[in-house]
Every structure is written in structure tokens, then in C-alpha cells.
Amino acid sequence: MEIQEQAPGAFPSDFRCGFVAIVGRPNVGKSTLLNALLERKVSIVSPKPQTTRHRILGILNRADAQIVFVDTPGLHGAGQRAMNRHMNRAAVASLNDADVNVFVIEAMAWTAEDERVLEQLVKRGQPIMLVMNKVDKIRPKERLLPLLEELSRRAPFIEVIPTSATKRDNLSRLPDLIVGHLPLSPPHFPPHQITDRSEQFHIAEIIREKLTLRLHQELPYGVTVEIERFVQEEGRWMVNAIIWVERRGQKAIVIGQGGLQLKEIGRAARLEIAQLCNGSVHLELWVKVKENWSDSEAALRQLGYDSLD
Ligand code: GDP
Ligand code: MG
């Protein structure tokens, strides 16, 4: 109804639009899959679990449909710090809103955590697509068959699809299979929009990705990035960002001997931010301590971790 008032005849009456949550335990390749489907990097990726902390929309626009993918922090049982609770809330909220769930698992690595995610999805009752990712790691491919067959019997999946998100293998069928399960609806977003997040958000995430890739052990979990300034001056993007850590010792690690570590992180981030902004970038990074920020609900809110995303 609303549609006809706003834009009569702007899209066909059989147009479909809906939300598709990408869910699964940490590190199975959910964000990589989203980026590959959109052919754009909207969500950061690293080999470490808990890289994705926010609910991020990635919007795939087609002639017949708008598929709004929702990348989620992995659903995980472990850890009861405020940050873990925030991530689980964001993941569960995405499940509630979804018209279809894409359940991502890792080839040949079915775990008790996968089992728990499947139980939750089945309880919710929306259609589920099972994506068995990272099949490039398995040789010969025939080894996948028994598990694929066994999992197909576990729930009435729309389909079970083996994929490699990094090699972009077998991905093109996924949107085709999803569209029919979305409601008839006009697009929720303007047809050129590909994400709900601001450039500033993506800049903070790029810096956090470079930090996560270079820092070892537990440190990435205690780091967050706040953009203080993002303006264009004489044709150049000026970015000032604060890297928040939880303890003084962490600050020294992030900066590194003679400032080398921070310099490398800054260089890698600047190159990617320049691509994003399509122009030259001047990036200044400061490292500051906010004790135990990741276990404080108030600090989380202040640093941009809203209750549901
Ligand atoms: P998420 O936590 O589920 O979002 O996982 P990410 O997308 O951050 O990926 C976790 C790690 O798995 C990263 O190092 C990715 O490069 C890697 N990865 C993702 N997809 C594939 C894949 O299809 N094959 C292989 N070999 N690695 C993958
Ligand atoms: Mg992720």
C-alpha cells in the first residue's frame, strides 16, 4: 500500500525483499561469504574468532529482488564479559528479524557449537539454507559426501550447498535459491545502497581489522577504535582515530618497538581507507587506555556498541 503512495509503478508487483541472517559459530567464514556475495568488502575478516562485533547489513540489489543480508557476530556460548553478551544479543536479534537464515558451517568440522546453533534455528522455524564453507581445504571432494548427506537429513533445509567463500566457488546459486523464500515487498533500501553503515564506521572497522591481523593472543579482544575526526581538507581525507586498549601494557604492545607496529598498522589501514574513500588519506592514530572497557556496559555504549547491533 505504502509503495503505491510513494512510487507508483517503480518496481514490479512480484518484487521481493527480505532479511537473510548469516549465522553460525565464530570463524566459519560468514563475513567472507557476505563480502563475496556482494563483491564488496562490507564486513571485516580475520583468522581470529570474534572479529565481527556488530550487526552489519549487506544489500544485494537485483532486478527481481533486494536481499538484505545480515552479518552477525558468531553465536557462541563462551565468555560472559559485557562484550560477549553484546555480541550474542546482536546475533540473536538478527535471527528474530530474518525471513531466511543462512547457516554457515565449516566443511568436515561439525562441532557441538554447530549443533546448538542448528537447534536454535530449527526452533525459530524460518527456512534455513545450509552452507558448508571452506570446501577448498578438503581433497578429494568425495570426502564431503557422507557429511553432506547426513546433514541434509537433520532439518528440512532449502538446500545444502558446499562453497568456498575465499575462492568464490559455488556462490552464485545462493541468491537464486533464497529469493523465492522472501516476502513480496518493495525494496527496504534505495537500490544503490549496499550497506547500512556509514563510511566512518567502515573506517573504524578497517583499522580494527589491521590491528586484529597483527596482534596476537587475547589482545584483539581488548581493542576498539573510535573515529574522532573524518573530514575532507583541500581534497584530502583527514582521519584521526583513537585505539582504545584495556591496560597500559597493551598500549606498549600496540605501539611496538620504536613505534614500528603502529606505523605498519597505520600504513595498511590507510591504503584500504584510501580505496574506500576513493582519494588520498592522512591517518593519525593514538593509543589510549580505558581500563576494562570491554566489560563495562556503559563504556560499550559510549564506544558505539549499541544494545542490538
Ligand atoms: P566469521 O567469523 O564466520 O565471520 O569468519 P571470517 O569471515 O572472519 O573468516 C574466518 C577465517 O576463515 C578467515 O581467515 C578467512 O580468510 C577464512 N575463510 C573464510 N572462508 C574461507 C574459505 O572458503 N576457505 C578457506 N580456506 N578459508 C576461509
Ligand atoms: Mg565475521
Side-chain angles (χ1 to χ4, degrees):
M1 271 166 5
E2 217 177 41
I3 315 144
Q4 282 177 355
E5 280 165 25
Q6 285 178 351
F11 48 86
S13 59
D14 57 352
F15 196 89
R16 292 177 185 272
C17 178
F19 288 92
V20 177
I22 303 180
V23 291
R25 69 175 158 87
N27 224 33
V28 291
K30 297 179 295 300
S31 300
T32 309
L33 178 72
L34 175 66
N35 294 338
L37 286 168
L38 295 180
E39 296 178 0
R40 282 286 281 274
K41 182 162 164 185
V42 296
S43 194
I44 62 168
V45 167
S46 94
K48 299 183 180 97
Q50 306 188 17
T51 301
T52 307
R53 290 178 179 169
H54 304 267
R55 184 156 64 143
I56 297 170
L57 302 189
I59 304 162
L60 186 65
N61 291 293
R62 313 176 14 137
D64 59 341
Q66 181 174 69
I67 308 178
V68 185
F69 289 104
V70 189
D71 190 18
T72 59
L75 272 171
H76 53 98
Q80 273 313 310
R81 293 174 71 76
M83 176 58 92
N84 295 96
R85 290 196 297 273
H86 156 80
M87 290 195 293
N88 268 330
R89 275 198 304 266
V92 170
S94 310
L95 291 185
N96 289 337
D97 294 344
D99 298 296
V100 175
N101 289 302
V102 171
F103 174 30
V104 185
I105 61 170
E106 187 173 329
M108 306 307 281
W110 181 261
T111 69
E113 258 183 310
D114 293 315
E115 192 73 50
R116 273 199 298 275
V117 178
L118 179 60
E119 269 169 35
Q120 290 214 32
L121 291 178
V122 169
K123 247 194 286 178
R124 286 189 152 74
Q126 297 121 339
I128 309 167
M129 172 87 73
L130 180 61
V131 169
M132 188 189 274
N133 192 35
K134 305 199 187 182
V135 295
D136 53 287
K137 287 166 77 175
I138 310 296
R139 293 229 173 77
K141 291 278 175 287
E142 288 72 39
R143 283 180 56 210
L144 296 167
L145 291 176
L147 183 61
L148 280 171
E149 219 163 88
E150 193 199 319
L151 289 171
S152 320
R153 285 196 294 269
R154 294 293 311 278
F157 297 114
I158 299 172
E159 189 132 340
V160 181
I161 305 184
T163 65
S164 168
T166 43
K167 298 208 177 326
R168 297 173 184 243
D169 210 6
N170 210 22
L171 301 180
S172 58
R173 288 173 61 227
L174 209 82
D176 291 339
L177 287 163
I178 287 170
V179 165
H181 294 271
L182 300 181
L184 289 168
S185 158
H188 296 327
F189 295 91
H192 298 297
Q193 196 169 335
I194 57 157
T195 176
D196 62 326
R197 297 290 183 167
S198 65
E199 233 166 10
Q200 189 157 323
F201 172 87
H202 290 293
I203 290 171
E205 288 284 272
I206 288 168
I207 297 167
R208 195 164 60 78
E209 181 189 71
K210 304 312 170 204
L211 281 157
T212 306
L213 289 170
R214 291 192 70 96
L215 298 174
H216 298 295
Q217 290 155 353
E218 291 301 301
L219 201 51
Y221 311 120
V223 170
T224 194
V225 176
E226 184 180 17
I227 305 297
E228 269 207 321
R229 185 161 176 261
F230 171 51
V231 291
Q232 201 169 21
E233 271 176 16
E234 291 161 21
R236 198 163 190 219
W237 290 102
M238 312 298 281
V239 182
N240 295 2
I242 302 175
I243 298 168
W244 289 105
V245 296
E246 300 200 292
R247 289 187 293 278
R248 292 192 75 81
Q250 295 175 335
K251 179 171 170 172
I253 296 171
V254 171
I255 293 171
Q257 286 245 320
L260 217 61
Q261 174 85 296
L262 189 61
K263 210 166 151 186
E264 284 302 312
I265 288 166
R267 196 217 313 260
R270 183 169 48 75
L271 290 173
E272 205 172 309
I273 296 166
Q275 269 186 340
L276 178 80
C277 297
N278 208 4
S280 97
V281 168
H282 176 78
L283 174 64
E284 281 184 30
L285 298 174
W286 283 275
V287 187
K288 294 188 183 176
V289 181
K290 196 189 286 277
E291 291 215 359
N292 256 335
W293 67 265
S294 78
D295 200 21
S296 151
E297 300 277 357
L300 285 180
R301 270 194 303 278
Q302 194 192 342
L303 291 168
Y305 297 90
D306 297 332
S307 64
L308 283 183
D309 63 14

